[in-house]
Amino acid sequence: MKPDFDGLSIPELRAYLLSHRHDDEAFYKLVDRLEASSNDTPLYPAPDTPETVAIMETAIREHVQMLEKRQE
């Protein structure tokens, strides 16, 4: 009997898929869930020019500051 994939968290679904690698339904459900959760992720340009390198450096600094605030 297959579990209710909609009731599983992403880590639980990933664990299930690792032990049932040929379950296409589980694979597609995981891909759909990961894609849906990635909509909130900011995208940055590839750092191939001085301007985009500066954008990446700023983004990294901001992320580090956010992580440091979480630890306080």
Side-chain angles (χ1 to χ4, degrees):
M1 177 188 271
K2 289 186 181 185
D4 175 23
F5 298 133
D6 292 326
L8 297 178
S9 66
I10 289 177
E12 291 170 331
L13 189 52
R14 183 179 289 133
Y16 173 84
L17 187 58
L18 287 173
S19 61
H20 299 86
R21 293 180 184 265
H22 298 291
D23 189 335
D24 290 341
E25 182 185 358
F27 172 77
Y28 288 115
K29 183 62 77 169
L30 178 61
V31 169
D32 289 344
R33 299 268 297 280
L34 290 172
E35 184 178 275
S37 70
S38 70
N39 290 338
D40 297 337
T41 304
L43 298 177
Y44 298 99
D48 57 355
T49 66
E51 293 82 18
T52 55
V53 169
I55 292 170
M56 289 304 298
E57 288 174 347
T58 301
I60 291 169
R61 268 191 233 101
E62 289 173 355
H63 188 73
V64 168
Q65 289 173 353
M66 180 195 64
L67 292 174
E68 288 173 345
K69 286 181 183 179
R70 278 190 194 170
Q71 291 179 351
E72 293 176 352

